[in-house]
Amino acid sequence: MGAAELGLDLGQRVVLVAEVDPEPNDNVSQAIPLQPSGQAEGHLGYYSSQSIDRADYYRIATVEDGNIEITASPDGDLDVELALYDLPTGTVELGRINNKGNGESEALEYEGLAAGTYHLVVRQNGGFGSYSLTSQFRQSQTPNDPEPNNMLAQ
């Protein structure tokens, strides 16, 4: 005789979540492209394939100097942290933000970003859920000088 036949409510609930970000994207080599002024969606904190998805990596390539603002808007119980890294190794941290709590948006702004390729990491800092990601790039109004020109001989 099962629980339903006895009239018992075991309080179990299964929530189906569609995969919203292409996996795997959990390290620098698996980073997925994000336009400098673009949008993406993802989710963190879910268990799959014997592990919990704790970070999503994005690659942002800019062709001009400028400023970038990246906002992650999580839903529900998810608390996110944003970190921006320089390439090629993805180890030079340019900025990190985690000032808000579960379900609250985080915004990371970096001014004076040179043309190049960068990595953005969205990390689970608590809870689980989906997030929407928006990047807004504003090109510098002042043209750059040709490089290299840091020494008298150049």
Side-chain angles (χ1 to χ4, degrees):
M1 187 176 279
E5 294 172 301
L6 294 174
L8 298 175
D9 179 6
L10 299 177
Q12 294 181 345
R13 185 178 76 149
V14 175
V15 178
L16 299 177
V17 177
E19 187 170 307
V20 293
D21 58 296
E23 293 289 346
N25 64 346
D26 302 325
N27 60 49
V28 170
S29 67
Q30 298 169 334
I32 57 177
L34 175 65
Q35 293 296 317
S37 288
Q39 297 178 339
E41 292 182 338
H43 68 252
L44 295 169
Y46 289 96
Y47 180 83
S48 176
S49 302
Q50 300 181 3
S51 67
I52 296 175
D53 186 14
R54 300 204 185 275
D56 290 337
Y57 282 70
Y58 296 89
R59 182 178 55 257
I60 302 171
T62 64
V63 295
E64 300 287 337
D65 296 350
N67 303 333
I68 194 163
E69 182 175 358
I70 303 160
T71 304
S73 301
D75 66 5
D77 189 43
L78 181 62
D79 182 13
V80 296
E81 173 184 277
L82 298 176
L84 185 65
Y85 295 91
D86 194 4
L87 280 183
T89 63
T91 57
V92 177
E93 185 176 280
L94 301 176
R96 177 186 302 256
I97 189 87
N98 183 22
N99 292 335
K100 308 289 180 157
N102 295 31
E104 295 184 66
S105 296
E106 295 281 1
L108 174 66
E109 186 168 356
Y110 191 87
E111 296 180 353
L113 195 67
T117 304
Y118 302 89
H119 280 125
L120 172 72
V121 183
V122 182
R123 288 190 183 92
Q124 172 206 24
N125 198 49
F128 65 94
S130 298
Y131 64 87
S132 61
L133 189 64
T134 304
S135 64
Q136 183 63 47
F137 183 79
R138 293 175 306 284
Q139 182 178 343
S140 176
Q141 298 302 312
T142 306
N144 194 1
D145 58 322
E147 295 291 344
N149 68 347
N150 299 332
M151 298 183 337
L152 188 59
Q154 296 172 330

